[in-house]
Amino acid sequence: MNLTRIAQFATDVHPAAEYDGFIGWVLSLMETLGEVGVGIAVLVETFVPPIPSEAVLPGAGFLAYESRMNVWLAWALATLGAIIGAWAWYGIGYAFGRHRTRAIVGAVPLMEHEDFDRAEAFFARWGGTAVFVGRCVPLVRSFISIPAGIERMNLGKFTWYTFAGSGLWNAIWIGAGYIAGPAIKPVLEKWSGVLSNLVLVAIAVLVLWFVAARLLRLRRVRAANRAAQDAIEDAVETVVETVTDREIGPDTPVRRTSDDQPN
């Protein structure tokens, strides 16, 4: 094997291959997709809330520290992905109105009507500030755009608040990965395999907790609804029986039909 072949083989090895396990795979995938992949990840998170952008953005910052990604372009595309996702939910609220949009949110797996109600109450109280702050709150940032669309908030104003909130949030997390790069790199080079297993366990625990909490809450809500329905039915039945007993009591004269008349 000559030097040319050796050099070609070296360039064919993916730069992130020095890291093992899940962390190495994520970094390799992010580097392969590039800055566009960061934006797509943030956009997807808008519609699949259990996938947190906080798990992606620091990795982008770390790759930028290693000069494998442009930090400003990663930030810009991540913010653009957040804006596009916010526009989508804004459009749904604008087009369908409150009741139909609430039904759509409730039909999304693992989502509840209460998620919509909380976002709506938050927006009703704070208005445009809710859009800015809501972009930094998990779950809320996925749905805060809906009441803005329902209330026909000015699209330019909505876009500005979304840009400001998402831009700040993305800058914090990408910047954290970039700044922590010198401390993270030697740790990853030595312990990336072990850390990958810990990350996978943590992700699995968080996902299971989220799913279990949602299912238990849904079961409690359904049980409460059934109990309320049974209570209403019992109350109606009691009222009907009371009214019937009063109408047909011991002192109520009995009306005779023609057949009951004496000959």
Side-chain angles (χ1 to χ4, degrees), residues 135-214:
R135 300 306 306 174
C136 304
V137 181
L139 284 182
V140 173
R141 63 171 165 256
S142 294
F143 302 115
I144 194 61
S145 306
I146 298 176
I150 294 174
E151 297 298 328
R152 304 295 198 268
M153 182 180 183
N154 179 271
L155 183 59
K157 185 178 181 180
F158 170 79
T159 302
W160 164 249
Y161 279 116
T162 301
F163 167 77
S166 299
L168 176 62
W169 189 247
N170 295 336
I172 290 173
W173 286 99
I174 293 177
Y178 187 89
I179 294 173
I184 293 176
K185 184 174 181 178
V187 176
L188 291 181
E189 289 177 346
K190 186 174 182 179
W191 301 103
S192 59
V194 175
L195 292 175
S196 294
N197 294 332
L198 294 176
V199 169
L200 287 174
V201 171
I203 292 175
V205 170
L206 288 175
V207 172
L208 289 175
W209 173 83
F210 180 85
V211 173
R214 288 283 159 149

Side-chain angles (χ1 to χ4, degrees), residues 38-230:
V38 178
I40 292 174
V42 174
L43 174 61
V44 170
E45 187 230 5
T46 305
F47 298 94
V48 188
I51 301 177
S53 59
E54 293 84 350
V56 175
L57 298 177
F62 177 74
L63 290 176
Y65 160 76
E66 292 199 320
S67 301
R68 303 180 185 181
M69 186 174 291
N70 184 290
V71 64
W72 293 109
L73 185 56
W75 171 84
L77 291 178
T79 304
L80 179 60
I83 292 174
I84 293 174
W87 280 344
W89 282 117
Y90 177 95
I92 291 174
Y94 189 98
F96 292 102
R98 182 183 187 279
H99 297 293
R100 282 185 292 179
T101 305
R102 188 175 186 271
I104 292 173
V105 173
V108 175
L110 300 180
M111 293 293 102
E112 300 175 357
H113 295 108
E114 286 76 9
D115 295 320
F116 172 86
D117 296 337
R118 282 193 294 268
E120 186 178 42
F122 191 47
F123 179 83
R125 181 176 181 181
W126 299 105
T129 305
V131 178
F132 172 79
V133 177
R135 300 306 306 174
C136 304
V137 181
L139 284 182
V140 173
R141 63 171 165 256
S142 294
F143 302 115
I144 194 61
S145 306
I146 298 176
I150 294 174
E151 297 298 328
R152 304 295 198 268
M153 182 180 183
N154 179 271
L155 183 59
K157 185 178 181 180
F158 170 79
T159 302
W160 164 249
Y161 279 116
T162 301
F163 167 77
S166 299
L168 176 62
W169 189 247
N170 295 336
I172 290 173
W173 286 99
I174 293 177
Y178 187 89
I179 294 173
I184 293 176
K185 184 174 181 178
V187 176
L188 291 181
E189 289 177 346
K190 186 174 182 179
W191 301 103
S192 59
V194 175
L195 292 175
S196 294
N197 294 332
L198 294 176
V199 169
L200 287 174
V201 171
I203 292 175
V205 170
L206 288 175
V207 172
L208 289 175
W209 173 83
F210 180 85
V211 173
R214 288 283 159 149
L215 292 177
L216 289 174
R217 183 174 177 179
L218 182 60
R219 180 179 298 178
R220 288 196 298 267
V221 170
R222 288 178 176 176
N225 290 338
R226 285 196 298 267
Q229 185 177 359
D230 291 342

Side-chain angles (χ1 to χ4, degrees), residues 241-252:
E241 291 178 351
T242 302
V243 172
T244 303
D245 292 341
R246 288 181 178 178
E247 290 181 350
I248 308 177
D251 299 329
T252 303

